[in-house]
Amino acid sequence: MSEFACGKINDIVPYVPGEQPRDRCYIKLNTNENPYYSSERARAYITERVLKDLRLYSDPGCGPLVRAIAQYYGVEEQNVLVTNGSDEALAFCFQAYAKDGVCFADVTYGFYDVFAHMYDCPAEHIALRDDFTIDPADYFAKGKTIVVAEPNAQTGIAMGADALRSIIANNPRNIVVVDQAYADFSVHNAIPLIKEFKNLVVVNTFSKSRSLAGARVGYVIADAALIADLNKVKYSFHPYNVNTVSMLLAKGAIEDDDYFKSTVAKIKAAREKLARGLKGMGFDVLPSSANFVLARTSAVDGGKLCGRLKSQGILVRHFPGGRIDDYVRITVGTDEEVCKLLETVKKITESAE
Ligand code: PMP
């Protein structure tokens, strides 16, 4: 640290992203990326002409993409805001709505805590039950902003449409932010609820189900008044927050619904194979509605399993020190990647016995 940084920057514990090593070719199951390439139809939008015209600023309103998203979900353009990854959308939400207090689960996406600290939002952690499920009643009438990931991050467990609706309905005077990074791998989506609930902010991403993590595009769908709030934050921070190339890739990805559906279906099938394979080796596997599973074995602890897999060329994620210290989080890859992972885990656990 330098002597010039302000107090906050000295104190803050930043978010630690999963590793993105470039030194060798790993089977990469550590950051919940999509194992399939981005849509070819989306890539076709990136013409020579588009590249030449990068001399111009990007469209600050992201018009073509906003229209494509609005059409896809049957909402109005005023209900949509496009952001630089959904992390930026979440940051805008914390800045706009969390200063008087925010609550979220004790096991969830680690960035919520970082944003709370960064933007001086008093945060309350609500413990998940022992089986890592959410008790929706714990979130009723909190008198503060609520952030939930549905399905939840790190566990992959979805609370379900009725539980989610009950949380939104029981906090009419507070904002409920629903982080849907993994919702396309689940069975329900909160977006239609924005017509009914003026306090609902639904945060989405192109990073997972639409194979565009590197393009950094997220979007918010909410009542027009909430989108206006978030636009105020955006235009006070970074008007050209999404670059032209990424905007066109995301537009192409949302238009290419067949590709989206076929890749999501493959990932869901591979998730079941992965969970079955791990259970067959005696692992506890949490029921996942996301593109990853959280699992543990008594044969070898989470940190060691993660390290041993890495030395065999497979990256998974371990979250040390908290309630999920025993577990590893494994992103669902292609069928071949899942087979390779299962084979390697079998060797590691057998040799540990
Ligand atoms: N929310 C959750 C629950 C996540 O796991 C992630 C990915 N790390 C994000 C949001 C952010 O994703 P992105 O910024 O790539 O859209």
Side-chain angles (χ1 to χ4, degrees), residues 150-151 158-162 164 180 183-190 193:
E150 171 68 355
M159 70 177 98
D162 292 345
L164 184 64
Q180 294 210 135
D184 290 331
F185 304 105
S186 179
V187 289
H188 73 104
N189 191 309
L193 297 179

Side-chain angles (χ1 to χ4, degrees), residues 17-22 26-38 181-182 185 205-216 263 267 290-292 315-317 329-334 337:
E19 51 181 330
Q20 300 286 350
R22 312 284 180 199
Y26 288 96
I27 293 180
K28 211 174 159 301
L29 306 177
N30 65 330
T31 46
N32 299 343
E33 288 138 331
N34 196 306
Y36 298 104
Y37 290 131
S38 58
Y182 303 106
F185 304 105
T205 182
F206 283 83
S207 295
K208 316 289 181 185
S209 57
R210 295 187 190 271
S211 299
L212 284 176
R216 311 302 307 126
T263 49
I267 291 167
N291 68 336
F292 59 85
L315 296 180
V316 300
R317 190 98 194 253
R329 192 193 68 188
I330 307 170
T331 302
V332 178
T334 61
E337 287 172 334

Side-chain angles (χ1 to χ4, degrees), residues 5 43 352:
R43 277 179 272 134

